[in-house]
Amino acid sequence: MTTTSDSTKKTTSAPAEKYRRYLQMLKKAGLRLTPQRMAICAYLAHTERHPSAYQVYEELAATHPGISRATVYNTLNTLRELGAIVELSFGSDHTHYETNTQPHVNLICLRCHKIIDYYGDPGVDALMERVRQETGFQSVAVKLDLVGFCAECRLQRLDEIRAMLKTAAQDKFPQTRNSKEEIV
Amino acid sequence: MTTTSDSTKKTTSAPAEKYRRYLQMLKKAGLRLTPQRMAICAYLAHTERHPSAYQVYEELAATHPGISRATVYNTLNTLRELGAIVELSFGSDHTHYETNTQPHVNLICLRCHKIIDYYGDPGVDALMERVRQETGFQSVAVKLDLVGFCAECRLQRLDEIRAMLKTAAQDKFPQTRNSKEEIV
DNA sequence: GCCGTAAATTAGATTGGTTCTAAATATAAA
DNA sequence: TTTATATTTAGAACCAATCTAATTTACGGC
Ligand SMILES: [Mn+2]
Ligand SMILES: [Mn+2]
Ligand SMILES: [Zn+2]
Ligand SMILES: [Zn+2]
């Protein structure tokens, strides 16, 4: 029996369902369903982006005044430990989270830091099963990230390189190190 | 012509070659080959692990007294921007780096934080090409991580769950949050 | 080989996202 | 209700990473 019976491929990522799944995972772990945890789960269930812990706190604080940093960070860590959400990494200094559990590929632009969800089965299910049989490693989640340059940035990049060549001598390297922008 | 002409599948990951490749990338970017940068590249070329920036600094400081944090962090950031190394993320609080450029899968254990390199082509080349054609996204590097539990930890985990059930009431959740160990 | 200059390194201060702490509060069982 | 335990909160503390200003170095040109 294969685990992937794709007969009923209903939208398992609808916010409401995602929300219920989060709560269920917390409950199963023996944790209490407090208003704060529910608010955090609701936020994660409804976002289409890849928010950082700090973003989750800031945006929740706006609608839920009084919620504390500690609670948000603890809950995010708990959800990560439970495998409900997955930590993402790229150049940014913040920790970002993946809340989309549908198997997909993250296209992470090195220039604008945009993250595009790409669907197009790369045979991830088969890979997970093969790994389990060959190594005994039991996968909980897959992180498949392609790091590179998005279509727009490819063009922008050409302009930048041209400009760089013109200015020649000085400014050999763009040095966008200190950029704090977070287009996620 | 396909890019993967596997007739001459020589060991492209031999430390010496890896080292030369790092230096070449720095040079190509118009950066100077200082003793410090060479030491850092040598360290990265020879490690079989997935070291954190802090680890690189600490271990280099032992053999190269006087090397500064700033230099190590700046060089690692530069190498990341050049695509020579790739940032990894998992539960740990430090930033870790992938120095293995051979296409492979990282098996990241959620329990012991061990990272196992797994080879077994999941069709990554094909995926990169498909993505480029369909979305215009130009991939520079692939990060394919399976997050879960390694063979040993799966067994340990069963024991832990059994113990947890026995102790019942108290200690419902292991709470290994504060663990600072870094088995990487 | 020496010079001149931009690049790089260094020690130390600073930053800021995250974690820790102890007191207050909420939850659920008895 | 009472009691025990879990959770939240505000703010302090932490510390990996970054920044800064002064010093040193690398390297092309002579
Ligand atoms: Mn995604
Ligand atoms: Mn690896
Ligand atoms: Zn972009
Ligand atoms: Zn393990």
Side-chain angles (χ1 to χ4, degrees):
Chain A
M1 50 153 191
T2 49
T3 49
T4 52
S5 62
D6 54 2
S7 53
T8 51
K9 204 166 191 179
K10 51 185 171 184
T11 24
T12 48
S13 72
E17 213 168 323
K18 219 168 142 187
Y19 177 63
R20 256 181 284 126
R21 202 170 52 80
Y22 287 150
L23 297 191
Q24 199 177 14
M25 291 181 89
L26 289 174
K27 207 166 198 175
K28 241 179 204 163
L31 300 169
R32 291 178 183 171
L33 299 186
T34 65
Q36 291 88 343
R37 281 179 178 154
M38 286 160 76
I40 294 165
C41 288
Y43 178 93
L44 294 175
H46 286 89
T47 187
E48 297 263 320
R49 298 194 322 238
H50 301 76
S52 69
Y54 198 77
Q55 270 173 31
V56 176
Y57 167 67
E58 273 194 330
E59 298 189 21
L60 269 179
T63 50
H64 296 71
I67 198 167
S68 73
R69 261 181 299 282
T71 299
V72 173
Y73 279 91
N74 287 339
T75 302
L76 288 172
N77 278 332
T78 301
L79 287 170
R80 175 173 52 68
E81 284 165 6
L82 293 173
I85 60 181
V86 175
E87 200 176 326
L88 281 183
S89 88
F90 45 105
S92 170
D93 42 357
H94 301 41
T95 302
H96 286 254
Y97 290 102
E98 170 66 75
T99 70
N100 185 348
T101 54
Q102 288 190 303
H104 71 282
V105 183
N106 289 314
L107 309 183
I108 304 178
C109 181
L110 287 171
R111 188 178 164 279
C112 69
H113 287 175
K114 186 166 51 192
I115 301 180
I116 306 158
D117 283 353
Y118 172 84
Y119 299 91
D121 181 28
V124 166
D125 286 346
L127 173 64
M128 281 169 62
E129 178 59 18
R130 185 148 42 94
V131 165
R132 201 191 59 74
Q133 288 184 356
E134 293 180 18
T135 71
F137 188 95
Q138 180 71 55
S139 302
V140 167
V142 179
K143 267 197 294 191
L144 179 40
D145 306 336
L146 295 187
V147 188
F149 298 97
C150 72
E152 299 102 77
C153 285
R154 260 172 79 189
L155 298 176
Q156 295 278 0
R157 199 145 180 268
L158 284 179
D159 292 342
E160 284 173 2
I161 291 172
R162 279 197 206 96
M164 221 194 317
L165 289 175
K166 257 189 173 167
T167 330
Q170 76 242 58
D171 208 347
K172 258 177 198 163
F173 208 57
Q175 211 73 349
T176 51
R177 184 82 41 80
N178 310 11
S179 63
K180 293 275 181 185
E181 21 71 59
E182 295 272 342
I183 311 164
V184 180
Chain B
M1 49 152 191
T2 50
T3 50
T4 53
S5 61
D6 54 3
S7 53
T8 52
K9 202 166 190 177
K10 50 185 171 183
T11 24
T12 47
S13 71
E17 211 166 324
K18 219 167 142 186
Y19 176 63
R20 254 180 287 127
R21 200 168 54 78
Y22 286 150
L23 296 191
Q24 200 177 15
M25 291 180 91
L26 288 174
K27 207 167 198 174
K28 239 176 206 163
L31 301 170
R32 294 179 180 173
L33 299 185
T34 65
Q36 292 87 345
R37 281 179 178 156
M38 288 162 75
I40 294 165
C41 288
Y43 177 93
L44 294 174
H46 286 88
T47 188
E48 298 264 320
R49 299 192 323 235
H50 302 75
S52 70
Y54 198 77
Q55 268 173 32
V56 176
Y57 166 68
E58 272 195 329
E59 298 188 21
L60 270 179
T63 51
H64 297 70
I67 199 168
S68 73
R69 259 180 302 282
T71 299
V72 173
Y73 279 92
N74 285 340
T75 302
L76 289 173
N77 277 333
T78 301
L79 288 171
R80 173 173 52 69
E81 283 166 6
L82 292 174
I85 59 179
V86 175
E87 202 175 325
L88 280 183
S89 86
F90 44 104
S92 171
D93 41 358
H94 300 42
T95 301
H96 285 254
Y97 290 101
E98 171 66 75
T99 70
N100 186 349
T101 53
Q102 290 189 303
H104 71 283
V105 183
N106 288 314
L107 310 183
I108 303 178
C109 182
L110 288 170
R111 188 177 164 276
C112 69
H113 287 177
K114 186 165 51 191
I115 301 180
I116 305 158
D117 282 354
Y118 173 84
Y119 299 91
D121 180 29
V124 165
D125 286 345
L127 172 65
M128 281 168 60
E129 178 58 19
R130 185 148 41 96
V131 166
R132 200 191 58 75
Q133 288 184 357
E134 294 180 16
T135 71
F137 188 95
Q138 179 71 54
S139 301
V140 168
V142 179
K143 268 198 293 190
L144 178 41
D145 307 336
L146 295 187
V147 188
F149 297 97
C150 72
E152 299 102 75
C153 285
R154 261 173 80 190
L155 298 177
Q156 295 279 357
R157 197 144 182 268
L158 285 179
D159 292 344
E160 283 173 5
I161 292 172
R162 281 198 206 95
M164 220 194 317
L165 290 175
K166 258 190 173 167
T167 331
Q170 77 241 56
D171 207 346
K172 258 177 201 166
F173 207 56
Q175 209 73 349
T176 50
R177 183 83 40 81
N178 310 12
S179 62
K180 291 276 179 188
E181 20 73 59
E182 293 273 344
I183 309 166
V184 184

